[in-house]
């Protein structure tokens, strides 16, 4: 691309505008290449949450999906959090609602609800712990063994965590990510035959998880894949996750080859964000994602527990902590309000 092409000029404008707006640009690993090129930080859900919590900038432009921006707003309530496209939701997050978590807690008053970060703020507000794919095992291990656990909403991640932790009393919700279900065991077998020397890296949300997990060289979060590919001596990799991931893997490992586990593993929501929309978002400081304080206050507790466990290996460890569950009235908030 020519240095002075309109495309490069737009990137320069975004960087300038970000400075003027005192904005930090966070981009998930699935975002398109041009967005990654203007971002201050690119990473997985955990890394981006940490960056959102630590930033001193007054605006966070979150290039990812809605629940990620909500998490940033929960962790940095005094900041303005904006996303390029308000329609960039998450089909997996929509598979569990607050009432589901609360009803389970009513039936299992001593149990703990673990909400994957791919959940709405209201679901997090009803949960005891949060987790991401990079720390889900550690979070569940930090909960006393005798406690029943409800893991929402991803069935495949939950099943993997159950297997890794050996927990019999872990109930798994039956949600799934549409993009990851495009990855099938048959597709994996075919690729492994075509590329016998390639290492097979799998995200725990994969629909083929239950059948193909024993074949994986590693089961990792998106950032875990980046680290693994860099450190491995292998020259080829089969990548089982959303295909936006291949951009960063390829960029950071120019001499290595990456094969998508399925050409169809594309998240329509993640790919709604574009460089043009990111520019407009900064220019007009829209679309703001703001979690109402009464929800943010409750949702912050499981997220902070997760961060503590991630950093130290233990949260408060009892699944009740200082958090009051079962408020008489359900929490009222929906995405269109922001
Ligand atoms: P990571 O936390 O591994 O980046 O995964 C996020 C996600 O939404 C996967 O679909």
């Amino acid at each position: 691309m020519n240095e002075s092409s309109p495309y490069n000029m737009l990137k320069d404008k975004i960087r300038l505008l970000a400075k003027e707006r005192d904005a930090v640009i966070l981009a998930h690993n699935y975002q398109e290449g041009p967005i990654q090129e203007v971002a201050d930080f690119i990473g997985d859900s955990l890394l981006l949450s940490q960056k959102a919590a630590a930033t001193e900038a007054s605006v966070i432009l979150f290039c990812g999906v809605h629940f990620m921006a909500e998490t940033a707003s929960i962790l940095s309530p005094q900041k303005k959090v904006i996303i390029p496209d308000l329609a960039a939701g998450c089909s997996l997050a929509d598979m569990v609602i607050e009432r589901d978590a609360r009803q389970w807690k009513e039936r299992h008053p001593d149990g703990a609800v673990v909400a994957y970060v791919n959940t709405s703020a209201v679901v997090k507000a009803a949960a005891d712990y949060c987790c991401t794919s990079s720390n889900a095992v550690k979070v569940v291990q930090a909960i006393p063994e005798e406690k029943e656990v409800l893991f929402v909403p991803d069935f495949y991640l939950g099943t993997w965590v159950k297997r890794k932790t050996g927990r019999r009393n872990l109930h798994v919700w039956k949600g799934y990510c549409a993009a990851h279900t495009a990855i099938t065991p048959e597709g994996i077998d075919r690729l492994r035959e075509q590329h016998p020397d390639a290492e097979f890296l799998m995200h725990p949300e994969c629909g083929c998880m239950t059948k193909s997990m024993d074949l994986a060289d590693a089961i990792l979060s998106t950032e875990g894949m980046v680290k693994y590919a860099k450190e491995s001596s292998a020259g080829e990799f089969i990548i089982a996750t959303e295909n936006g991931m291949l951009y960063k893997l390829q960029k950071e490992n120019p001499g290595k080859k990456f094969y998508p586990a399925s050409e169809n593993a594309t998240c329509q929501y993640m790919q709604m964000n574009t460089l043009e929309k990111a520019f407009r978002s900064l220019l007009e400081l829209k679309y703001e994602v703001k979690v109402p304080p009464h929800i943010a206050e409750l949702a912050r507790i499981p997220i902070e527990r997760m961060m503590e466990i991630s950093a130290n290996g233990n949260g408060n460890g009892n699944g009740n902590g200082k958090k009051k569950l079962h408020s008489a009235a359900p929490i009222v908030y929906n995405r269109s309000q922001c």
Side-chain angles (χ1 to χ4, degrees):
M1 185 84 49
N2 181 315
E3 282 297 303
S4 59
S5 69
Y7 176 81
N8 279 330
M9 280 160 64
L10 183 58
K11 287 201 282 189
D12 292 344
K13 275 191 197 166
I14 292 178
R15 291 300 333 148
L16 265 175
L17 200 51
K19 223 181 214 163
E20 262 174 53
R21 298 282 194 241
D22 187 28
V24 65
I25 305 178
L26 305 182
H28 187 263
N29 285 324
Y30 294 155
Q31 291 293 282
E32 63 169 32
I35 289 185
Q36 295 197 22
E37 285 162 28
V38 294
D40 294 291
F41 300 102
I42 309 153
D44 63 3
S45 314
L46 180 65
L47 187 135
L48 296 179
S49 305
Q50 289 163 339
K51 295 293 177 197
T55 184
E56 290 189 352
S58 39
V59 174
I60 298 173
L61 171 61
F62 211 117
C63 298
V65 290
H66 194 269
F67 75 80
M68 295 179 175
E70 275 190 336
T71 307
S73 164
I74 291 163
L75 291 169
S76 285
Q78 70 291 5
K79 317 250 175 218
K80 195 177 184 89
V81 181
I82 51 175
I83 55 173
D85 191 326
L86 200 50
C90 171
S91 57
L92 170 59
D94 289 343
M95 285 188 190
V96 66
I97 57 171
E98 178 220 357
R99 194 184 55 211
D100 300 325
R102 287 187 186 278
Q103 284 179 348
W104 186 85
K105 282 290 289 186
E106 269 157 30
R107 291 197 303 276
H108 304 262
D110 295 325
V113 173
V114 178
Y116 188 29
V117 72
N118 298 43
T119 44
S120 64
V122 279
V123 169
K124 289 186 179 82
D128 300 290
Y129 295 83
C130 222
C131 71
T132 72
S133 55
S134 65
N135 58 26
V137 169
K138 214 170 172 187
V139 167
V140 170
Q141 277 168 341
I143 301 170
E145 189 58 41
E146 66 281 6
K147 255 190 189 299
E148 277 190 270
V149 172
L150 174 66
F151 189 95
V152 295
D154 192 79
F155 175 76
Y156 298 102
L157 174 63
T159 302
W160 177 65
V161 169
K162 187 170 175 156
R163 182 160 159 177
K164 291 282 285 184
T165 57
R167 280 190 88 117
R168 274 164 298 156
N169 58 2
L170 189 140
H171 308 270
V172 185
W173 200 253
K174 291 206 172 63
Y176 59 89
C177 159
H180 282 90
T181 52
I183 300 167
T184 61
E186 298 72 31
I188 296 292
D189 289 346
R190 218 172 17 251
L191 278 164
R192 280 167 47 89
E193 252 177 62
Q194 286 166 10
H195 308 286
D197 297 330
E199 287 200 279
F200 169 32
L201 308 188
M202 183 188 239
H203 193 280
E205 276 182 36
C206 278
C208 61
M209 162 62 67
T210 44
K211 288 191 179 152
S212 306
M213 69 173 124
D214 294 324
L215 302 176
D217 290 288
I219 298 177
L220 300 160
S221 77
T222 57
E223 200 55 29
M225 288 184 179
V226 175
K227 271 203 194 110
Y228 187 100
K230 261 193 199 161
E231 287 165 12
S232 167
S233 57
E236 296 177 280
F237 301 86
I238 297 165
I239 302 298
T241 192
E242 208 273 343
N243 289 339
M245 192 62 219
L246 273 77
Y247 175 83
K248 187 168 173 188
L249 286 168
Q250 197 62 75
K251 189 167 179 193
E252 301 212 355
N253 301 280
K256 299 187 178 184
K257 284 190 179 146
F258 298 93
Y259 310 110
S262 164
E263 295 293 342
N264 299 324
T266 298
C267 172
Q268 56 163 319
Y269 298 110
M270 279 283 180
Q271 303 312 329
M272 276 177 178
N273 298 325
T274 61
L275 202 59
E276 290 77 8
K277 285 183 194 172
F279 173 69
R280 191 138 295 275
S281 191
L282 272 178
L283 189 68
E284 298 176 15
L285 290 178
K286 69 178 191 184
Y287 299 90
E288 185 170 12
V289 174
K290 184 126 194 89
V291 176
H294 66 292
I295 296 164
E297 202 183 314
L298 287 171
R300 197 173 304 122
I301 297 167
I303 299 173
E304 285 178 353
R305 272 185 194 147
M306 166 188 80
M307 290 190 155
E308 197 187 320
I309 293 167
S310 226
N312 308 322
N314 58 55
N316 65 29
N318 63 20
N320 287 329
K322 51 193 163 32
K323 185 166 190 185
K324 293 183 199 74
L325 289 172
H326 315 309
S327 64
I331 299 169
V332 182
Y333 161 61
N334 77 48
R335 209 158 95 204
S336 57
Q337 291 171 330
C338 47

